[in-house]
Amino acid sequence: MKKIQILLFPKHKLHIFKRTITKWTTVSVRIVFSFTMFGDLFEEDCSNVSNNQYGKGKKLKTKALEPPAPREFTNLSGIRNQGGTCYLNSLLQTLHFTPEFREALFSLGPEELGFLEDKDKPDAKVRIIPLQLQRLFAQLLLLDQEAASTVELTNSFGWTSDEEMRQHDVQELNRILFSALETSLVGTSGHDLINRLYHGTIVNQVVCNECKNISEKQEDFLDLTVAVKNVSGLEDALWNMYVEEEVFDYDNLYHCGTCDRLVKAAKSAKLRKLPPFLTVSLLRFNFDFVKCERYKETSSYTFPLRINLKPFCEQSELDDLEYIYDLFSVIIHKGGCYGGHYHVYIKDVDHLGNWQFKQEESKPDVNLKTLQNEEEIDDPLVILQAVILQEENNLISVDQLGQKLLKKMGMSWNKKYRKQHGPLRKFLQLHSQMFLLSSDGSTVSLLKKDPVQSKSDFQSTDQQSFHSLALEAPGLSDSTACSHWFDINDSKVQPIQEKDIEQQFQGKESAYMLFYRKSQLQRPPEALANPRYRVPCHLLKEMDAANIELKVKRADCDSANNDFELHLHLGPHYRFFNGALHPVTSQAESVWDLTFDKRKTLGDLRQSIFQLLEFWEGDMVLSVAKHVPAGLHIYQTLDGDELSLCEVDIADGEDIFVWNGMEVGGVQIETGIDCEPLLLNILHLESSGEGKKRGRLIESPHVFPANAEVGTVFTAAAIPAGIILVNSTRSADEESWTTVPEEDMKKTFREQGLRNGSSILVQPPNSEDRSVLPKEGKWMNGMNEIDWIQVKNLCQLESEQKQVKISATVHTVVFDIRIKAIKELKLMKELAENSCLRPIDRNGKLLCPVPDGSTLKEAEVKMGSSLGLCLGKAPTSSQLFLFFAWGTNIQPGTEMEVIVEETLSVKDCLKIMLEKSSLPGDAWHLRKMDWCYEAGEPLCGEDATLQELRICSGDTLLLIEGKLPLPGFLKVPIWWYQPRGHSGHWESQDQPCTSSQGNGWRAASTQGKETLLVLGWGWSAEPHTYKASAVDTEPHPEAQENVLLIGPSFQVPLAMCLRKFLSSTWEMWISQKMLLWWT
């Protein structure tokens, strides 16, 4: 963990760099940055990349099943959020839309930066961070995808998946990223890239009132940090910082070196050198010393779109235009001081995006009166569109367009719009996505499509698809063109109006960083609307190839997502048999598989099948069929050839029956769900030739239409009349039979609730054989019922058989089964007094013994299950059979067993279990294993009985090391933590300390100014650490622990109580500024 620097700032002079002044006033505390927040971003080792030190944690990557979505109507690409990287995305978009930064980075070729392909070669020097930035900027410019990925870039930073999920401060990232880039570009032609674009200087002066001597000190800056609290806006804050003077007088005099005494003096600061790009960080987060909590300043804070910095600079002979700066990016923070979300408003300087608004698509017909009422008269796009729409064929000459505009608005184009948007004809050329100029430029018309270019146009991977604005724009600059602003929120990009920026002056969603550029910085005409401008050739080739690959993948994905697999069942190859359709020959000859586009119509499908089946004659009917247990059944005939397959509800893998719609094999076919064939099991008694009945049941399957009457069963069973009983299953091991009344015989099978696989018992009337009749509603002995229990010999005694089957019913007593098993296994009679039966589960584990006096039903033992004959008596009704184990990581089969009285106390139960497990000491407590097989809540109250705590036979208790605190007390293990210094060694003010295993956990006797107190919550004897940005090591296993018990009687703050305890326990002074880290 790197050292954290904390600075105190003088009143009204808030800078991020240290300053030397005579008197300090505590205004706020600001942490400059913590290197641990950003992995190894600041420490790139170009010569040792092959060691792959970047991936210290596994990254949460998901396999992309579909190619990324194409760009939306704005024609700009966002950046995907990796979980908590919105702050990174906002900053990267700002740098990307700084053309001078982007092009300076592009100017560094592979001969200086190396190749990414060589990063794993031990001798290659590859500057990964600038290379990944180049690649990301090329993707944002040229790759046709909705959002780019920063995974490769954050990998080059050395970030783990934890780092990508954690939100950080964008102002800190801005400084650290610039420092990392400077370090990475040392030795290249771009070594001064950051210094050239963002570096400025401030001069601090103290003027002696006596001798007029000027004491001067110069400071460098990459960004200006300005106050927000009690300040109305940016210009007000700059006035306080660089215009107002601080006077030293009375008891706050200044020591003049020239006069060699304390004198009155005036202190001031001025901007000496301004960078081409000025970054302003707003101090929105402050600390309330009264409430002792952080808060976000949400009051109104204005900032201009254009600012003149001359009043805040030193006197110079520079042209006044050198001090004019235009706003081009606003990073916005939404949320509070402990979390939130970042997005950015960006001005598209090069007009790379399509700055149109979606609402224009749904309202193409606009009249001027409506526009005037809605105050939309200032938008020239809407005005011109409304005028052209009123013309025949939407075509008009450019001269007539200007005249009609003057007639209907009362003001000419030159007077209303020329200053901001340029000449009319040039404006029409720039918005070629809406207006179509003739080759000679004399006439203009609206494009045949929607006013806003359709998304499909922008989804093309053609390079020209990214030129949404005309390339021929000589002499056009920001001063004459419309300002195009976009809101870039991770993956989403939306156009906004310039006036929308005012909404970010105040509130929980407000501006956090401002980026200005010199107004004199002009872009060359060839850069406008040209995303390929100054992009290196190797990146152009890479992006072109990636676009082609994306196009192929999208086509494949489109085909995979829209193609259906249909199974065509050909009617001539089927016959109707036993109530359903069945293939005449083999399934392969009767069924053809067809892949078809679901967006096509039913008529297209019919035509394709006609072409496949050249032998087909006559009408062709397509019907949806489904496989049922009886065979194939036709449900619905498909109608509406003009409808798509989706509209007729055809699903993927659907079975389509192709026939003439009337008959199959000469048999009339009934269709629909009402006549669905049901496969039922018919049970009836076998009878001899003389008519005498035998006791054996015959079970035979029969198929009936669902709309047939129940009475048709008699015909199928060849019984003239009788009794029908219907099986209604209630549970898996119990069947119930219901007699169908005479009056319900005419009901259908579906009305009677019968389904496929249902059973029906048919008995002749006045049957004297009652062995198959239901008794008390339950099926007794006509079926092959399970009437036995299997008993295994687990007594570790030799016998002729290892297991036997004992005949029993649910009412058989367990004691009788045990005695029978001992006899049949031919074991010693003495086992009758010292044995028990225990159920065996499916994993072979022995469960709690079954009481001898209970029946199988009372003991919940299912017929046909296995019981183990084991040594030892079963517990009585007042005893509990418990499993127990040591620790929390329990392996199957390691549990021990004990029988105790249910009135036993927790304390005595713990003592018995410790003795049986031979565990030393008494610092243990019990926990009950929960249903997840994990340690649950502790058994609190040593004197409480197991019965009171609702412990039951078969429960598993866990022996956990560590005593429970007394009721009302809190157990707090305390550990000392000694952080690293910049050199990586352990530092201490009083004495040096070495640490094994490279960690910082030390015994309590070690002192030091930069000591971090770590407090661990929990019952475990092992300490818990909180894996946070300020802690990056685990506790030393040999570190000493001191325990503090805090009871309910303490009425003082916890921190004060801890400091008092540490002072008395470890005889050391605890600083009031010491950090208390809670885990």
Side-chain angles (χ1 to χ4, degrees):
M1 185 178 72
K2 303 297 182 181
K3 183 176 179 181
I4 297 178
Q5 181 182 4
I6 300 179
L7 303 180
L8 297 176
F9 297 95
K11 191 174 183 180
H12 302 311
K13 308 293 179 182
L14 299 175
H15 303 298
I16 64 165
F17 298 99
K18 200 170 182 181
R19 302 170 59 181
T20 303
I21 60 176
T22 307
K23 183 177 179 181
W24 289 88
T25 304
T26 302
V27 180
S28 65
V29 178
R30 178 177 177 81
I31 299 178
V32 177
F33 51 78
S34 168
F35 294 99
T36 58
M37 284 187 178
F38 300 96
D40 302 327
L41 175 57
F42 198 72
E43 302 173 356
E44 179 178 14
D45 186 1
C46 300
S47 62
N48 199 23
V49 176
S50 62
N51 291 338
N52 195 17
Q53 301 175 5
Y54 299 123
K56 295 184 179 179
K58 283 191 175 183
K59 308 189 71 58
L60 299 174
K61 295 181 180 177
T62 57
K63 185 178 179 180
L65 298 178
E66 295 184 358
R71 301 192 180 201
E72 294 189 350
F73 72 101
T74 59
N75 200 28
L76 294 178
S77 175
I79 300 177
R80 283 192 291 276
N81 194 327
Q82 296 188 50
T85 57
C86 54
Y87 65 102
L88 172 67
N89 297 347
S90 300
L91 181 60
L92 291 175
Q93 289 284 15
T94 299
L95 296 177
H96 166 242
F97 279 94
T98 307
E100 292 77 5
F101 177 88
R102 183 181 71 229
E103 291 165 6
L105 196 62
F106 280 152
S107 66
L108 303 174
E111 64 279 358
E112 293 186 278
L113 303 181
F115 294 92
L116 284 174
E117 296 78 10
D118 300 335
K119 65 180 180 180
D120 294 327
K121 296 180 180 179
D123 299 331
K125 188 170 184 179
V126 182
R127 305 174 191 267
I128 299 181
I129 293 179
L131 282 173
Q132 291 291 3
L133 272 177
Q134 280 186 346
R135 196 165 181 268
L136 176 64
F137 289 165
Q139 290 175 350
L140 293 174
L141 286 170
L142 299 170
L143 198 57
D144 184 20
Q145 59 181 3
E146 181 186 29
S149 171
T150 56
V151 171
E152 297 297 331
L153 179 63
T154 54
N155 282 347
S156 71
F157 293 168
W159 288 6
T160 63
S161 58
D162 291 338
E163 209 55 60
E164 292 157 359
M165 297 295 292
R166 188 179 303 141
Q167 172 111 192
H168 293 308
D169 186 73
V170 68
Q171 296 176 2
E172 294 179 83
L173 176 67
N174 183 52
R175 302 181 189 109
I176 295 175
L177 182 59
F178 279 180
S179 298
L181 265 177
E182 282 186 313
T183 303
S184 185
L185 295 177
V186 170
T188 70
S189 59
H191 66 279
D192 62 341
L193 171 63
I194 303 300
N195 187 72
R196 178 162 35 93
L197 296 180
Y198 297 95
H199 176 262
T201 56
I202 301 171
V203 59
N204 296 299
Q205 295 180 342
V206 181
V207 180
C208 176
N209 287 0
E210 302 293 334
C211 64
K212 304 302 179 183
N213 179 60
I214 300 176
S215 177
E216 185 176 285
K217 182 180 180 182
Q218 183 172 294
E219 295 178 5
D220 299 326
F221 72 87
L222 293 178
D223 66 316
L224 296 178
T225 304
V226 298
V228 174
K229 185 178 180 181
N230 300 326
V231 181
S232 62
L234 176 61
E235 291 168 308
D236 187 20
L238 294 176
W239 183 273
N240 293 338
M241 295 170 64
Y242 303 115
V243 176
E244 287 189 353
E245 294 183 343
E246 185 178 354
V247 178
F248 299 116
D249 55 8
Y250 302 112
D251 54 349
N252 183 27
L253 296 174
Y254 168 74
H255 184 272
C256 177
T258 304
C259 300
D260 197 19
R261 59 189 177 88
L262 295 175
V263 297
K264 294 183 179 181
K267 184 177 184 303
S268 63
K270 290 288 185 182
L271 296 171
R272 171 164 286 178
K273 175 195 171 187
L274 291 174
F277 297 92
L278 180 65
T279 304
V280 181
S281 299
L282 308 183
L283 278 174
R284 286 212 175 262
F285 298 120
N286 287 311
F287 189 83
D288 190 330
F289 289 94
V290 177
K291 297 181 180 179
C292 289
E293 64 182 13
R294 295 180 68 205
Y295 70 95
K296 180 179 179 180
E297 188 65 53
T298 58
S299 58
S300 177
Y301 190 89
T302 62
F303 47 89
L305 295 175
R306 171 168 287 188
I307 187 171
N308 184 1
L309 296 177
K310 187 171 184 179
F312 317 115
C313 298
E314 278 190 317
Q315 299 287 341
S316 68
E317 297 180 356
L318 293 176
D319 187 6
D320 289 350
L321 293 178
E322 292 287 336
Y323 301 98
I324 305 299
Y325 281 74
D326 291 326
L327 183 71
F328 76 97
S329 178
V330 182
I331 293 182
I332 299 157
H333 180 265
K334 179 181 181 181
C337 56
Y338 297 106
H341 179 69
Y342 290 95
H343 62 108
V344 61
Y345 284 179
I346 286 183
K347 182 180 179 181
D348 183 10
V349 177
D350 282 348
H351 289 195
L352 299 176
N354 178 42
W355 190 66
Q356 303 295 330
F357 294 89
K358 282 187 174 180
Q359 57 264 31
E360 293 177 8
E361 295 183 14
S362 58
K363 297 181 180 179
D365 300 321
V366 184
N367 58 68
L368 293 179
K369 292 183 180 179
T370 305
L371 292 177
Q372 291 171 354
N373 294 336
E374 298 177 0
E375 298 181 354
E376 295 177 350
I377 200 72
D378 289 332
D379 191 344
L381 286 172
V382 181
I383 297 295
L384 292 174
Q385 182 190 16
V387 173
I388 299 176
L389 281 173
Q390 296 175 0
E391 298 298 318
E392 186 177 358
N393 297 326
N394 296 337
L395 178 68
I396 190 175
S397 69
V398 176
D399 294 336
Q400 288 180 347
L401 179 61
Q403 295 173 5
K404 292 204 171 187
L405 201 63
L406 173 62
K407 182 179 179 181
K408 294 193 176 184
M409 292 181 53
M411 191 178 299
S412 67
W413 171 272
N414 290 340
K415 190 172 182 180
K416 178 70 177 177
Y417 297 112
R418 184 183 178 92
K419 184 176 181 180
Q420 183 179 3
H421 300 289
L424 175 59
R425 188 172 278 103
K426 185 64 67 179
F427 181 85
L428 296 173
Q429 286 179 342
L430 284 175
H431 294 84
S432 58
Q433 74 278 6
M434 180 180 291
F435 306 109
L436 182 62
L437 273 173
S438 60
S439 57
D440 58 356
S442 60
T443 60
V444 61
S445 62
L446 287 178
L447 292 179
K448 298 290 184 183
K449 51 188 174 181
D450 288 340
V452 178
Q453 192 167 351
S454 63
K455 293 182 183 179
S456 60
D457 293 336
F458 291 113
Q459 293 172 3
S460 169
T461 54
D462 235 15
Q463 300 307 320
Q464 284 73 17
S465 67
F466 293 97
H467 296 253
S468 61
L469 298 175
L471 292 178
E472 57 277 1
L476 187 65
S477 67
D478 280 349
S479 60
T480 60
C482 178
S483 297
H484 295 182
W485 283 84
F486 293 90
D487 176 13
I488 305 182
N489 191 344
D490 288 337
S491 300
K492 299 299 180 183
V493 183
Q494 297 291 335
I496 60 171
Q497 300 281 0
E498 207 169 46
K499 61 184 179 182
D500 295 334
I501 301 174
E502 298 177 5
Q503 300 173 6
Q504 307 304 328
F505 286 166
Q506 61 187 357
K508 288 188 176 180
E509 183 177 5
S510 49
Y512 190 57
M513 287 188 76
L514 308 175
F515 297 83
Y516 286 87
R517 56 182 287 127
K518 276 191 176 183
S519 61
Q520 283 195 332
L521 293 174
Q522 300 295 327
R523 299 292 297 148
E526 57 270 20
L528 295 180
N530 183 9
R532 301 173 72 88
Y533 182 70
R534 294 284 180 90
V535 179
C537 292
H538 68 281
L539 287 176
L540 288 175
K541 293 179 180 178
E542 181 183 345
M543 294 304 111
D544 291 346
N547 275 328
I548 295 173
E549 183 180 357
L550 275 176
K551 187 175 182 180
V552 173
K553 284 184 177 180
R554 287 189 183 122
D556 294 342
C557 183
D558 182 72
S559 174
N561 290 338
N562 293 295
D563 283 352
F564 271 168
E565 279 291 331
L566 301 178
H567 308 299
L568 304 180
H569 300 262
L570 308 181
H573 294 183
Y574 274 79
R575 63 173 179 151
F576 187 80
F577 170 74
N578 198 16
L581 295 167
H582 298 273
V584 175
T585 55
S586 65
Q587 185 81 6
E589 294 180 4
S590 304
V591 182
W592 290 12
D593 292 333
L594 174 65
T595 302
F596 203 74
D597 192 334
K598 65 182 179 182
R599 295 169 295 185
K600 292 187 177 181
T601 65
L602 183 61
D604 296 331
L605 175 62
R606 195 186 311 275
Q607 187 64 31
S608 298
I609 296 175
F610 262 121
Q611 294 174 0
L612 288 173
L613 306 179
E614 298 177 354
F615 61 85
W616 193 272
E617 296 180 357
D619 296 335
M620 175 184 288
V621 176
L622 303 180
S623 301
V624 175
K626 291 183 180 179
H627 286 281
V628 294
L632 190 70
H633 180 66
I634 301 173
Y635 284 86
Q636 174 191 358
T637 298
L638 299 174
D639 294 319
D641 281 4
E642 73 283 357
L643 301 177
S644 68
L645 299 191
C646 293
E647 292 173 324
V648 296
D649 295 330
I650 294 182
D652 190 17
E654 195 83 79
D655 291 289
I656 304 296
F657 196 75
V658 184
W659 61 317
N660 58 14
M662 297 178 62
E663 50 85 24
V664 174
V667 179
Q668 198 81 14
I669 303 298
E670 293 188 26
T671 63
I673 193 171
D674 292 337
C675 56
E676 178 183 19
L678 299 179
L679 181 61
L680 305 177
N681 296 319
I682 306 300
L683 305 169
H684 61 92
L685 287 171
E686 182 184 29
S687 60
S688 64
E690 293 79 11
K692 294 183 180 180
K693 295 173 264 321
R694 298 179 183 177
R696 192 167 67 91
L697 278 175
I698 296 177
E699 180 178 356
S700 58
H702 288 268
V703 178
F704 300 92
N707 56 359
E709 295 180 358
V710 176
T712 56
V713 172
F714 293 121
T715 305
I719 298 176
I723 302 172
I724 294 180
L725 298 100
V726 176
N727 179 358
S728 55
T729 302
R730 294 179 180 175
S731 62
D733 57 353
E734 184 176 299
E735 293 181 338
S736 179
W737 292 80
T738 305
T739 302
V740 179
E742 186 70 27
E743 59 270 17
D744 290 344
M745 290 293 183
K746 292 188 177 295
K747 286 187 176 180
T748 65
F749 289 99
R750 190 174 297 272
E751 291 172 341
Q752 204 63 38
L754 294 174
R755 303 182 301 272
N756 281 298
S758 296
S759 296
I760 295 178
L761 172 63
V762 181
Q763 283 189 306
N766 304 319
S767 176
E768 296 177 358
D769 189 350
R770 298 295 177 180
S771 62
V772 294
L773 289 177
K775 185 176 181 180
E776 295 179 356
K778 297 179 182 177
W779 183 252
M780 296 302 297
N781 49 7
M783 305 288 291
N784 294 327
E785 179 177 292
I786 297 176
D787 56 357
W788 50 263
I789 290 291
Q790 183 171 269
V791 179
K792 295 183 179 181
N793 178 19
L794 302 178
C795 295
Q796 299 178 353
L797 298 175
E798 293 183 1
S799 62
E800 295 179 1
Q801 295 176 291
K802 293 185 177 180
Q803 59 187 30
V804 292
K805 284 186 179 181
I806 306 298
S807 298
T809 67
V810 293
H811 302 292
T812 305
V813 180
V814 174
F815 175 81
D816 296 335
I817 296 176
R818 184 165 63 88
I819 297 301
K820 287 182 182 179
I822 293 174
K823 290 180 179 179
E824 293 190 20
L825 289 169
K826 298 180 181 180
L827 297 172
M828 296 183 299
K829 294 182 180 180
E830 288 77 11
L831 282 177
E833 300 297 326
N834 188 30
S835 64
C836 62
L837 292 177
R838 299 177 62 178
I840 304 173
D841 68 6
R842 65 182 62 184
N843 297 319
K845 179 182 177 181
L846 286 172
L847 304 180
C848 178
V850 180
D852 274 348
S854 61
T855 64
L856 293 179
K857 182 177 181 180
E858 291 169 348
E860 298 182 353
V861 176
K862 294 183 179 180
M863 303 302 295
S865 59
S866 296
L867 298 177
L869 181 64
C870 305
L871 292 173
K873 290 185 178 181
T876 64
S877 58
S878 63
Q879 291 179 326
L880 299 176
F881 183 95
L882 302 176
F883 297 95
F884 69 98
W886 171 71
T888 57
N889 187 16
I890 304 172
Q891 300 298 327
T894 61
E895 302 97 332
M896 291 175 279
E897 304 164 355
V898 65
I899 297 178
V900 296
E901 294 293 331
E902 62 182 5
T903 56
L904 193 70
S905 67
V906 174
K907 181 178 180 181
D908 294 336
C909 182
L910 174 63
K911 186 176 180 180
I912 292 173
M913 291 181 176
L914 288 175
E915 289 176 357
K916 288 192 66 114
S917 56
S918 302
L919 292 175
D922 59 349
W924 298 84
H925 67 277
L926 289 175
R927 289 173 179 257
K928 182 180 177 182
M929 181 186 288
D930 61 16
W931 64 276
C932 294
Y933 298 95
E934 296 177 351
E937 293 295 325
L939 302 186
C940 299
E942 293 182 342
D943 297 327
T945 65
L946 299 178
Q947 185 179 24
E948 292 171 349
L949 297 178
R950 298 182 179 179
I951 303 299
C952 305
S953 286
D955 286 347
T956 301
L957 301 182
L958 301 178
L959 291 165
I960 306 297
E961 190 174 5
K963 271 197 168 185
L964 296 178
L966 297 175
F969 281 77
L970 175 68
K971 181 180 178 182
V972 184
I974 300 175
W975 300 78
W976 283 101
Y977 182 83
Q978 176 68 37
R980 293 179 186 267
H982 286 292
S983 62
H985 300 290
W986 301 97
E987 299 178 342
S988 176
Q989 182 183 10
D990 300 331
Q991 60 185 22
C993 177
T994 60
S995 175
S996 64
Q997 300 181 14
N999 60 62
W1001 296 96
R1002 310 194 324 173
S1005 60
T1006 306
Q1007 302 182 29
K1009 271 189 177 180
E1010 297 168 2
T1011 300
L1012 188 65
L1013 180 63
V1014 178
L1015 303 177
W1017 297 89
W1019 306 107
S1020 175
E1022 295 296 326
H1024 299 284
T1025 62
Y1026 181 67
K1027 195 73 174 179
S1029 57
V1031 180
D1032 60 357
T1033 60
E1034 293 293 337
H1036 196 292
E1038 300 177 359
Q1040 299 178 5
E1041 176 188 8
N1042 285 262
V1043 177
L1044 167 64
L1045 289 180
I1046 301 174
S1049 60
F1050 285 98
Q1051 301 296 327
V1052 296
L1054 181 58
M1056 186 184 301
C1057 169
L1058 291 171
R1059 292 190 178 97
K1060 184 176 180 181
F1061 167 79
L1062 296 177
S1063 299
S1064 60
T1065 304
W1066 292 331
E1067 300 179 357
M1068 60 180 5
W1069 176 77
I1070 306 300
S1071 170
Q1072 292 293 328
K1073 295 183 179 179
M1074 183 170 293
L1075 298 173
L1076 299 179
W1077 195 277
W1078 299 85
T1079 70

